[in-house]
């Protein structure tokens, strides 16, 4: 099975509750039907104005049977949810009226509160929303995982017919969220990516913090940032197999590792690559995808207390289904 097939099998074996804040959106509606029909989720909740969802479902020929349609504006939970949101945000100086206006301003907040309350295990949105909206709701309500302050992202890269990483699968991070991470943020990215490696690749992470230098071969402030991050990762998780700073060839190729980083527990066999900034991460995954013919799955958000995924506004129905499946699998460990 390929990565997505494995994720589908895992989701089906352990069905969880999914909330889709953009319940009126055509691709989301079609994906919800597939997720329910294939029993990939135990509950699929569509958020939005009920009449709009029903009208769009009729237009698209999508049956709503077995799907939960929830309209925040008329829900009996509205007061409870707004009160809870106000409690979360009142330290920022906003009034309850302002809190209600913000909270009810879009369904992302309602979906995030459903997860906080345990009514949903995973949330997928973004087909019709800006990334900032999805992240804002998640960060203010779901919040980050214990010990993690920075939400980030990863890609699962698959190079068919190779032995890179775990049978051709590798974790690349961060390729989509944090533009110029501090050492503390880079440490968070490394720790979250290690967890993603366990979840997605079912393997012990071997984490390489990448740079243009290997073990002091160059001196620069950019190298210092990576070595500082490595120190923090080791302090926060002494049992994690992690090393750096190192160049990509030293992280991946045993013969190069033997020369550039002898004795490293990671060099030459890394399965989780941590890029020093968003530019290098985004460029790196696209080069591997295009030049090496790799399949790139993601980006998948990581570092949240409960899993949230942000879709591209150009996504297909299959993208919504697959992203939902992966996000549901992420919830199994939460």
């Amino acid at each position: 099975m390929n990565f997505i097939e494995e994720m589908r099998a895992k989701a089906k074996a352990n069905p969880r509750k999914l909330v889709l804040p953009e319940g009126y959106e055509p691709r989301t509606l079609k994906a919800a039907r597939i997720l329910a029909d294939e029993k990939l989720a135990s509950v699929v909740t569509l958020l939005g104005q009920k009449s709009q969802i029903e009208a769009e479902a009729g237009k698209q020929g999508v049956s709503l049977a077995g799907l939960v349609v929830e309209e925040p504006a008329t829900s009996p939970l509205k007061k409870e949810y707004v009160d809870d949101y106000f409690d979360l945000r009142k330290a920022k100086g906003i009034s309850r009226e302002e809190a209600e206006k913000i909270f009810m301003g879009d369904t992302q907040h309602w979906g995030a509160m459903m997860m906080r309350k345990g009514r949903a295990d995973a949330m997928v949105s973004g087909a019709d929303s800006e990334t900032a909206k999805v992240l804002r709701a998640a960060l203010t309500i779901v919040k980050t995982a214990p010990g993690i302050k920075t939400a980030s992202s990863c890609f699962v890269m698959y190079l068919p017919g190779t032995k890179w990483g775990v049978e051709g699968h590798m974790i690349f991070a961060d390729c989509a969220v944090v533009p110029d991470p501090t050492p503390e943020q880079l440490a968070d990215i490394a720790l979250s990516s290690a967890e993603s490696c366990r979840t997605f690749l079912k393997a012990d992470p071997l984490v390489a913090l990448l740079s243009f230098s290997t073990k002091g071969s160059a001196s620069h402030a950019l190298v210092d940032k990576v070595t500082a991050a490595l120190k923090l990762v080791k302090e926060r998780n002494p049992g994690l197999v992690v090393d750096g700073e190192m160049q990509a060839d030293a992280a991946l190729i045993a013969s190069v590792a033997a020369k550039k980083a002898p004795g490293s527990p990671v060099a030459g066999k890394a399965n989780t690559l941590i890029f020093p900034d968003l530019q290098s991460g985004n460029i790196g995954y696209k080069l591997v995808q295009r030049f090496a013919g790799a399949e790139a799955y993601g980006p998948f958000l990581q570092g949240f207390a409960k899993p949230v995924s942000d879709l591209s506004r150009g996504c297909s129905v299959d993208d919504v289904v697959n992203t939902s499946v992966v996000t549901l699998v992420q919830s199994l460990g939460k």
Side-chain angles (χ1 to χ4, degrees):
M1 292 190 290
N2 64 26
F3 172 70
I4 291 298
E5 288 170 341
E6 287 186 9
M7 293 298 103
R8 283 184 176 234
K10 203 166 186 179
K12 199 166 188 175
N14 304 274
R16 307 276 276 176
K17 296 170 291 191
L18 174 70
V19 60
L20 299 169
E22 298 162 323
Y24 56 87
E25 200 278 324
R27 293 161 296 177
T28 302
L29 274 166
K30 291 176 182 177
R33 183 71 268 155
I34 293 168
L35 289 160
D37 288 346
E38 297 189 11
K39 296 180 172 54
L40 295 167
S42 59
V43 179
V44 180
T45 301
L46 297 164
L47 299 182
Q49 189 176 337
K50 189 174 181 180
S51 60
Q52 184 184 11
I53 292 172
E54 290 174 342
E56 189 61 40
K59 183 179 175 182
Q60 299 296 328
V62 174
S63 169
L64 294 175
L67 300 173
V68 177
V69 176
E70 188 160 315
E71 183 169 350
T74 60
S75 171
L77 295 171
K78 178 180 174 181
K79 183 181 183 303
E80 176 189 337
Y81 278 22
V82 171
D83 285 346
D84 286 351
Y85 181 71
F86 173 58
D87 287 340
L88 287 171
R89 303 300 289 165
K90 62 186 178 183
K92 299 294 183 181
I94 66 172
S95 67
R96 191 192 181 284
E97 291 72 24
E98 289 171 325
E100 181 170 354
K101 184 178 180 181
I102 294 168
F103 184 78
M104 298 303 293
D106 67 71
T107 50
Q108 316 296 333
H109 290 84
W110 191 274
M113 189 62 77
M114 285 180 66
M115 289 213 293
R116 185 177 180 88
K117 293 283 194 176
R119 293 184 59 228
D121 301 304
M123 181 172 94
V124 174
S125 193
D128 191 41
S129 303
E130 296 174 356
T131 295
K133 280 189 175 183
V134 180
L135 292 178
R136 190 180 304 118
L139 288 169
T140 56
I141 298 173
V142 178
K143 299 189 178 295
T144 51
I148 299 292
K149 294 181 179 180
T150 308
S152 58
S153 72
C154 73
F155 275 86
V156 174
M157 305 297 293
Y158 175 48
L159 293 102
T162 74
K163 294 296 182 182
W164 298 115
V166 182
E167 296 180 353
H169 295 82
M170 299 194 69
I171 300 293
F172 280 24
D174 173 18
C175 305
V177 176
V178 187
D180 186 15
T182 64
E184 292 77 14
Q185 290 175 318
L186 200 57
D188 276 350
I189 292 167
L191 291 166
S192 295
S193 300
E195 187 60 32
S196 292
C197 178
R198 294 186 188 97
T199 299
F200 296 144
L201 307 190
K202 296 182 291 186
D204 291 329
L206 300 173
V207 184
L209 273 64
L210 301 182
S211 176
F212 60 85
S213 168
T214 300
K215 295 295 183 179
S217 64
S219 297
H220 194 278
L222 293 176
V223 177
D224 295 341
K225 179 176 82 168
V226 178
T227 56
L230 176 66
K231 184 173 183 289
L232 290 170
V233 172
K234 287 184 173 181
E235 288 172 355
R236 290 167 60 183
N237 189 346
L240 181 64
V241 182
V242 56
D243 204 4
E245 88 289 4
M246 64 180 67
Q247 292 160 287
D249 57 354
L252 297 169
I253 301 170
S255 60
V256 176
K259 295 175 182 177
K260 291 187 174 183
S264 169
V266 170
K269 53 189 176 182
N271 57 25
T272 303
L273 301 183
I274 308 303
F275 293 86
D277 58 29
L278 188 55
Q279 290 195 100
S280 57
N282 191 271
I283 292 166
Y285 100 79
K286 288 183 177 178
L287 286 175
V288 174
Q289 181 185 33
R290 301 303 178 185
F291 283 177
E295 296 174 21
Y297 300 104
F300 303 122
L301 296 180
Q302 56 184 16
F304 286 107
K306 288 191 173 183
V308 178
S309 281
D310 173 47
L311 297 161
S312 163
R313 277 175 281 180
C315 64
S316 66
V317 173
D318 282 346
D319 291 334
V320 182
V321 172
N322 292 338
T323 299
S324 296
V325 166
V326 171
T327 312
L328 286 162
V329 170
Q330 283 180 297
S331 77
L332 295 175
K334 301 293 184 182

